[in-house]
């Protein structure tokens, strides 16, 4: 398909510099750190403060991760078809400025009701 010279040229252009690798790594830590802290805090909050069974909370988180994997594939497809003057991701990021903090706030407003109602609330707000 390509000549050997063309292949080596493509590989050279695709090679990441050490600075790029470090920047991507720092960005990943900065992105994942708040979510890890939130997950640990939510597990503690739901089990020790709200009083929901730990197995039920783990099951809700497991089902949510499965939904997350499916939604990532779907949203990746949506992003690949997004073409605006602001790029592919910026319009979607701007749309989450208000809903994201509101949804995080709602995670900690579990109603004082039966455990089934609390689990449904936790499932809906976590997803």
């Amino acid at each position: 398909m390509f000549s050997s010279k063309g292949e080596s040229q493509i590989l050279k252009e695709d090679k990441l510099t050490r600075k790029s690798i470090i920047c991507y790594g720092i960005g990943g830590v900065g992105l994942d750190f708040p979510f890890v802290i939130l997950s640990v805090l939510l597990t503690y909050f739901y089990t020790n403060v709200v009083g929901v069974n730990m197995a039920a909370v783990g099951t809700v988180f497991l089902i949510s991760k499965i939904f997350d994997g499916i939604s990532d594939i779907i949203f990746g497809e949506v992003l690949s078809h997004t073409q605006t003057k602001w790029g592919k991701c910026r319009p979607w990021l701007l749309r989450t400025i208000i809903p994201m903090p509101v949804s995080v706030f709602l995670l900690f407003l579990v109603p004082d009701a039966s455990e089934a109602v609390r689990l449904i609330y936790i499932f809906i707000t976590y997803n």
Side-chain angles (χ1 to χ4, degrees), residues 44-121:
Y44 175 82
F45 177 74
Y46 289 151
T47 56
N48 294 351
V49 177
V50 177
V52 177
N53 183 356
M54 186 178 290
V57 171
T59 304
V60 166
F61 286 0
L62 174 68
I63 293 169
S64 298
K65 291 301 174 187
I66 293 169
F67 283 153
D68 184 43
I70 294 168
S71 68
D72 284 349
I73 294 169
I74 293 168
F75 199 71
E77 191 65 26
V78 170
L79 275 180
S80 68
H81 294 297
T82 301
Q83 298 294 331
T84 68
K85 65 179 179 180
W86 301 289
K88 291 183 177 217
C89 295
R90 186 175 291 165
W92 295 104
L93 291 173
L94 291 173
R95 290 176 185 166
T96 63
I97 288 174
I98 301 298
M100 191 67 167
V102 169
S103 64
V104 171
F105 180 73
L106 290 175
L107 288 171
F108 294 96
L109 291 179
V110 181
D112 188 21
S114 68
E115 186 166 349
V117 172
R118 287 184 282 171
L119 274 173
I120 292 169
Y121 180 85

Side-chain angles (χ1 to χ4, degrees), residues 5-67:
K5 182 180 178 187
E7 286 178 13
S8 64
Q9 197 171 17
I10 290 171
L11 292 177
K12 279 184 179 179
E13 290 173 4
D14 289 345
K15 195 168 186 175
L16 293 173
T17 65
R18 186 175 303 236
K19 180 181 177 184
S20 296
I21 293 170
I22 291 170
C23 290
Y24 278 114
I26 291 171
V29 170
L31 177 65
D32 291 337
F33 187 72
F35 289 113
V36 169
I37 295 297
L38 183 65
S39 295
V40 170
L41 182 61
L42 276 175
T43 304
Y44 175 82
F45 177 74
Y46 289 151
T47 56
N48 294 351
V49 177
V50 177
V52 177
N53 183 356
M54 186 178 290
V57 171
T59 304
V60 166
F61 286 0
L62 174 68
I63 293 169
S64 298
K65 291 301 174 187
I66 293 169
F67 283 153

